[in-house]
Amino acid sequence: MDLNDKYVLLTGASGGIGQEIALALEVKGARLILVARDKEKLEQIRYSMAKPDRHDVLAADLLTAQGREVVNSYAKEQLRKNKQISALINNAGSNQFQFLAQRSAESIEREMQLNLMTPIALSQSALGWLKRPGVILNIGSTLGSIGYPGYTAYCASKAGLHRFSEALDRELDGAAIRVLYLAPRTTETELNSPRVVELNQKLGNRSDSPQVVAEHVVQMLEQETAAKWIGWPEKLFARINQVFPRLVSGSIRKQQETIHYFINHSSN
Ligand SMILES: NC(=O)c1ccc[n+]([C@@H]2O[C@H](COP(=O)([O-])OP(=O)(O)OC[C@H]3O[C@@H](n4cnc5c(N)ncnc54)[C@H](OP(=O)(O)O)[C@@H]3O)[C@@H](O)[C@H]2O)c1
């Protein structure tokens, strides 16, 4: 897709990765619709962009049907105004690093809703308003390919998002809408609490800046790459886990003591 002058609706636009995606897409000439709950923060981001007037903000709580309807109505209005949206980026997401036994049922539901059910619902409504040719890009995670202790619900939601993207892309074959999936590894944003950052340092896990993720987003949209995993050796582990999961279980077993320590004893 040539991004110049295309309307792109981006959820999670006020987050660490979302902000960088917005800036990178602006450089390519795209017109952004920035979506998140905090309108003030979205406006600050819009005014930090080179041409704020070319972009718009939309406050919506995507955990609620009402919030998703705000997005849907806005997109349909764009269609009526001949400003049809060409790309939807499902980037809003959240996680909690905790053992399943310690979590409330509500927090698990919210995580599954925001990370999986919301992108499915927005993709479904986008079939009614997305311009053709159009693109839906779902932001997943390495943890969608590797089950990891402390992230059970998050792994499940991102694995689901991966399969959803693959299935819908195949379902829409020939319908001029591509559905893409990007799996970043650990990225330096506020999604990761200080104890997760410390754990990653202790385990020697590499991380990327949000700018790196944004560059991949631009490339994927331009080249319409079906799926991509960021980072080495994470993309290799993702493959090994499919074929030889016991090997990956073996290396995670060696990390268990450290993981338990950070979940149970770290205060932040
Ligand atoms: N950071 C990482 O290590 C990492 C690694 C792999 C994949 N990812 C994925 O990358 C995506 C972006 O993550 P990030 O690191 O940029 O996270 P972040 O900095 O925590 O940003 C999360 C974004 O989601 C929005 N959001 C949260 N709850 C929402 C709700 N109920 N309704 C609407 N918007 C909501 C937030 O805005 P408001 O609070 O204003 O609503 C914010 O814009 C996520 O899907 C995440 O799973 C992140």
Side-chain angles (χ1 to χ4, degrees), residues 15-136:
I17 292 176
Q19 291 185 43
E20 293 303 327
I21 294 176
L23 295 174
L25 290 178
E26 182 183 49
V27 171
K28 293 288 178 177
R31 297 169 178 269
L32 277 299
I33 299 113
L34 308 169
V35 184
R37 287 168 300 182
D38 187 339
K39 190 164 189 183
E40 216 171 297
K41 198 161 176 200
L42 288 174
E43 286 291 10
Q44 278 171 12
I45 293 161
R46 182 159 81 96
Y47 282 100
S48 74
M49 296 171 78
K51 293 180 179 162
D53 294 347
R54 283 171 60 85
H55 314 296
D56 205 354
V57 304
L58 200 56
D61 182 350
L62 298 175
L63 282 176
T64 67
Q66 258 171 322
R68 295 188 293 276
E69 191 43 41
V70 168
V71 173
N72 201 15
S73 309
Y74 178 96
K76 286 181 177 163
E77 187 56 28
Q78 289 284 104
L79 180 61
R80 277 190 288 274
K81 291 195 227 156
N82 232 356
K83 295 177 173 182
Q84 204 173 353
I85 294 165
S86 295
L88 161 67
I89 305 179
N90 284 308
N91 167 67
S94 70
N95 66 28
Q96 225 174 302
F97 179 53
Q98 238 175 2
F99 291 129
L100 190 69
Q102 300 166 335
R103 292 191 60 176
S104 68
E106 292 74 25
S107 81
I108 295 167
E109 267 180 41
R110 281 197 302 275
E111 203 165 294
M112 296 302 289
Q113 175 68 55
L114 187 65
N115 298 347
L116 179 60
M117 296 311 293
T118 292
I120 292 177
L122 291 182
S123 301
Q124 190 189 26
S125 66
L127 299 181
W129 46 254
L130 203 64
K131 191 168 184 171
R132 295 167 196 235
V135 174
I136 297 171

Side-chain angles (χ1 to χ4, degrees), residues 11-19 21 35-39 41-42 45 60-64 90-95 114-115 118 139-143 154 158 161 182-192 200 207-208 210 213:
T11 73
S14 59
I17 292 176
Q19 291 185 43
I21 294 176
V35 184
R37 287 168 300 182
D38 187 339
K39 190 164 189 183
K41 198 161 176 200
L42 288 174
I45 293 161
D61 182 350
L62 298 175
L63 282 176
T64 67
N90 284 308
N91 167 67
S94 70
N95 66 28
L114 187 65
N115 298 347
T118 292
I139 305 296
S141 166
T142 304
L143 294 182
Y154 186 65
K158 296 297 188 178
L161 189 61
L182 175 63
R185 64 177 171 186
T186 302
T187 309
E188 292 131 24
T189 75
E190 285 177 10
L191 181 76
N192 301 309
N200 281 326
S207 62
D208 291 310
V213 180

Side-chain angles (χ1 to χ4, degrees), residues 221-266:
L221 290 174
E222 285 184 334
Q223 293 163 16
E224 299 184 11
T225 317
K228 203 170 189 187
W229 283 256
I230 302 178
W232 192 259
E234 289 77 4
K235 65 173 84 175
L236 177 65
F237 286 153
R239 289 285 163 93
I240 293 176
N241 195 48
Q242 285 179 324
V243 193
F244 304 112
R246 283 174 63 182
L247 280 181
V248 177
S249 296
S251 16
I252 293 175
R253 192 167 297 125
K254 293 183 194 139
Q255 302 177 343
Q256 282 289 19
E257 206 180 315
T258 312
I259 295 167
H260 277 252
Y261 174 81
F262 276 89
I263 287 189
N264 291 323
H265 300 288
S266 180

